[in-house]
Amino acid sequence: MADAKTTLIGKAAVLESMAEHPAVTALLGWNADALTDARFDRGELTLTIAKDQIRGACETLIAAGYNAFQDVTAVDWFPSTPRFRVVYHACSHRYKHVIRLTVLVDESDPTVDSITPVWPGANYYEREVFDLFGIRFEGHPNLRRIMMPDEWVGHPLRKDYPVEGYR
Amino acid sequence: MPTLPEVGTPILQAPTAEGSRDQHMVLNMGPQHPSTHGVLRLVLEIDGEIVVRMYPEIGYLHTGIEKTCEAKFYQQVVPLTDRVDYLGPMNNNLVYSLAVEKLLELEIPAKAQWLRVLLSELTRINSHLIWLGTHAMDIGALTVFLYTFREREDLLRIFEAVSGQRMMTSYIRIGGLSMEPPLGWLERVQNFISTFPEKIDEYSNLLTGNPIFVNRLKGIGHLSGPDALALGVTGPVMRASGIDFDVRRDMPYSSYEKFQFTVPVSNDCDVWARYVCRLEEMRQSVKICQQVLDGMPEGPIKANAPKILLPDREEMKTQMEALIHHFKIVTEGFPVPAGEVYQSIESGHGQVGYYIVSDGGPKPYRCHMRYPSFADLQALETMCKGRLLADVVAVIGSIDIVLGEIDR
């Protein structure tokens, strides 16, 4: 396995030297096509998952020993396309490391499958992303604003939302 | 322990108007309630005194802290992190600094790392003291509250001596510490450490054998281990549910791998177990502090990176380069190589994680904070469902909520 000093960019490079990493093994064993991109940088593994496969990927990883859910958040790469990256962190108590899953979401259709049915802990985090970025999570049991009032216009953590607000 | 009736069977048949006999009542607890420790509103659906459903309504604080971080230079974010969990400032400074140092791939001198461990443990004691005092006060034991604040005062004086601030310390900076601890400071810490275990015994004598306290805590707020993991609960609440995981031991940071300590775990899964675990954690923190004081290495407290760290005041007055670096860092910040990192540490409440994305500029492109209270709040309904209304107070106290952590 690659050590923390090396940087590996791209699916092929990561698969070549990190094939025995438990997360990579589990995802490849489940569905090799779901893994679209990968990166290993500063000792952290980032796996990009196809948008419609995220729930299955999470199920696979839970079964592979990534038992502690950490968080869901998003990054707004305005004005590039696809605009949003939804980022998931999962910790493994057995392997003692954290891995990162990302999903690319475009502004024209800002939806992604909710992982709350798989990981109940994602509930508030997905609501937070919905509230502050305006990304919808399909299948979420209670997708409502969590920080801002219900009638609030706009999503404050988007890059085109001014720091001082519109008012 | 009295056994409770099934959910839906009223304990008391209160005289009600015709037709409303089997309706549930909705009760708002908060937004300002002494036992919610901040602005938290709990919408409770109750049947008699039994909680049927609970809906936490949050966002009253809404500090907009992540948005603010994205508008500041990297070094200007450090004071902001103090405000998030205002009971554990050093831990927050530490996790943010570690994340940025990981992005910069900076090497931190051993003395700075050990001092960070010491401060982080003192902060944990500070945070647990507030928890113990307010939790006991929620239950009705006021004396312990006064006692814990007495010891907290000693700790705040120690923080003030080292950083100039009592609560919002901002002492741990990117690349090291802001300044050398003053002369005699380590002896003050040693004094505190030597006397503190007796104080823990004192609290324990007041509470552990107290039948009212025991009856209010035992068997309340049950959260099983698998539930805790599924809901993302971390820290003492998770360890009280039988999950043996501590970031300090299992994913060590800042030279924690050099220290010997045990991680208290309980299989009782209730409020009592959380009380026992936290009390033991304070004793373990004292043990770690003692090891730091015994083996403190010599050397600098800042990394050798003049373009990132502010120079010492004396250097600035005598060297032109130092003055230029100071000016550049303050006015323009310093660029951080593009990339993304996630750094987690064990704070007093649980696992704190900072996810920082850099686009190569002097400001964080995205700075996400994962704080334990936010996840613990999701578990509140699981813990309170089917229990008495009065138990809600005990359960909130046991998860040690800080509202600054919950609101973004």
Side-chain angles (χ1 to χ4, degrees), chain A residues 42 44 70-71 73-74 76 85 96 121 123-124 127-128 144 146-148 156 158-159 161, chain B residues 55-56 58 62 66-67 70 102-103 230 250 340-342 351 355 365-366 368 370 378 406 408:
Chain A
R42 295 178 175 90
E44 297 186 5
Q70 294 274 298
D71 71 351
T73 184
D76 180 7
R85 271 176 70 211
K96 301 189 186 357
N123 189 327
Y124 279 20
R127 280 179 65 190
E128 189 185 82
R144 287 177 41 202
I146 189 165
M147 298 294 166
M148 312 302 285
R158 286 190 174 191
K159 286 284 172 186
Y161 191 97
Chain B
Y55 182 76
I58 58 180
H62 190 58
E66 286 180 9
K67 187 82 174 170
E70 289 165 18
K102 205 168 174 185
L103 270 173
D250 296 319
E340 50 185 342
V341 290
Y342 180 83
Q351 204 166 341
Y355 171 64
Y365 190 78
R366 175 94 176 90
H368 175 71
R370 180 244 189 263
Q378 300 183 88
I406 291 172
R408 281 299 100 73

Side-chain angles (χ1 to χ4, degrees), chain B residues 144-164:
Chain B
V144 182
F145 177 74
L146 300 173
Y147 283 13
T148 55
F149 269 63
R150 182 186 62 192
E151 270 75 73
R152 178 175 182 258
E153 190 60 34
D154 295 343
L155 272 174
L156 290 184
R157 290 212 181 104
I158 287 174
F159 289 156
E160 190 181 10
V162 74
S163 70

Side-chain angles (χ1 to χ4, degrees), chain B residues 340-380:
Chain B
E340 50 185 342
V341 290
Y342 180 83
Q343 173 70 44
S344 60
I345 65 152
E346 188 78 28
S347 84
H349 303 154
Q351 204 166 341
V352 178
Y354 271 55
Y355 171 64
I356 298 180
V357 180
S358 168
D359 62 347
K363 294 175 181 175
Y365 190 78
R366 175 94 176 90
C367 177
H368 175 71
M369 304 161 177
R370 180 244 189 263
Y371 269 98
S373 291
F374 191 61
D376 291 359
L377 196 65
Q378 300 183 88
L380 197 60

